[in-house]
């Protein structure tokens, strides 16, 4: 086993990215930093390096324990890196999840016509503009003060 590994291969083999191509693109686009410095895909990393990966809105950080270039099973990941992502990043991720579009099931896509009609019926006629302002009178004489 070598004491160093290419960052793009390590990101793929440590299952940070699904493919090596995606890992290399992330490096090229400035979303990967090693010890605070943006790196190219060919950069060699060694034990103890801190790798930061920006996947908006969160920046994940990992301390490299083992420089590998061959993909390993998910159960072996604790031997490959230590997750040192600050807690505030996870709070930011949770806030983003909470603030997204209403509680629609993942993968259901845009509302259908039927869904839209059900939402409109739920909201009710008060917001549709069907309210008759002329029949509503707050004083007896009908004058505006």
């Amino acid at each position: 086993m070598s004491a160093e590994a290419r960052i793009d291969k390590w990101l793929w083999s440590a299952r940070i990215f699904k493919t090596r191509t995606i890992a290399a693109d992330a490096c090229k686009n400035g979303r990967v930093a090693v010890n605070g410095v943006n790196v190219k895909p060919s950069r060699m990393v060694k034990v103890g390096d801190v790798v930061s990966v920006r996947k908006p809105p969160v920046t994940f950080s990992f301390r490299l324990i083992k420089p590998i270039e061959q993909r390993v099973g998910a159960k072996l990941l604790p031997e490959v890196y230590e997750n040192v992502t600050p807690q505030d990043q996870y709070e930011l991720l949770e806030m983003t999840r909470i603030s997204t579009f209403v509680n629609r099931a993942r993968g259901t896509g845009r509302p259908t016509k039927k869904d839209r009609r059900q939402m409109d019926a739920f909201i009710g006629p008060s917001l549709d503009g069907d309210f008759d302002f002329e029949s509503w009178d707050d004083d007896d004489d009908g004058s505006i003060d």
Side-chain angles (χ1 to χ4, degrees):
M1 185 180 84
S2 121
E4 291 183 321
R6 283 177 56 114
I7 186 67
D8 61 339
K9 285 186 179 181
W10 185 83
L11 289 168
W12 166 75
S13 61
R15 296 178 177 267
I16 309 297
F17 288 103
K18 192 172 183 175
T19 67
R20 185 172 162 203
T21 304
I22 296 170
D25 288 343
C27 292
K28 289 175 189 172
N29 294 327
R31 291 190 297 258
V32 177
V34 175
N35 299 325
V37 178
N38 286 344
V39 294
K40 294 181 179 179
S42 61
R43 165 75 189 270
M44 301 300 277
V45 290
K46 57 188 182 310
V47 175
D49 284 345
V50 176
V51 178
S52 300
V53 179
R54 191 166 40 94
K55 291 184 176 182
V58 181
T59 301
F60 297 98
S61 299
F62 308 99
R63 179 169 291 116
L64 200 119
I65 297 174
K66 191 178 195 181
I68 59 173
E69 290 190 348
Q70 294 294 316
R71 197 161 173 102
V72 295
K75 290 183 179 180
L76 298 176
L77 290 181
E79 299 172 10
V80 176
Y81 64 80
E82 175 188 359
N83 190 346
V84 293
T85 305
Q87 187 62 33
D88 65 331
Q89 293 293 317
Y90 287 111
E91 292 169 3
L92 178 64
L93 182 63
E94 188 60 29
M95 290 302 293
T96 305
R97 285 185 183 151
I98 290 171
S99 66
T100 55
F101 187 65
V102 199
N103 290 329
R104 288 187 56 80
R106 184 176 179 94
T108 56
R110 293 176 52 180
T112 62
K113 265 189 189 179
K114 183 179 179 181
D115 293 338
R116 180 65 188 181
R117 288 182 185 132
Q118 288 175 343
M119 285 189 281
D120 288 343
F122 177 75
I123 291 172
S126 63
L127 297 178
D128 287 339
D130 293 340
F131 189 75
D132 185 15
F133 286 100
E134 291 184 21
S135 67
W136 182 59
D137 193 14
D138 54 337
D139 11 315
D140 296 351
D141 63 353
S143 64
I144 299 174
D145 295 318

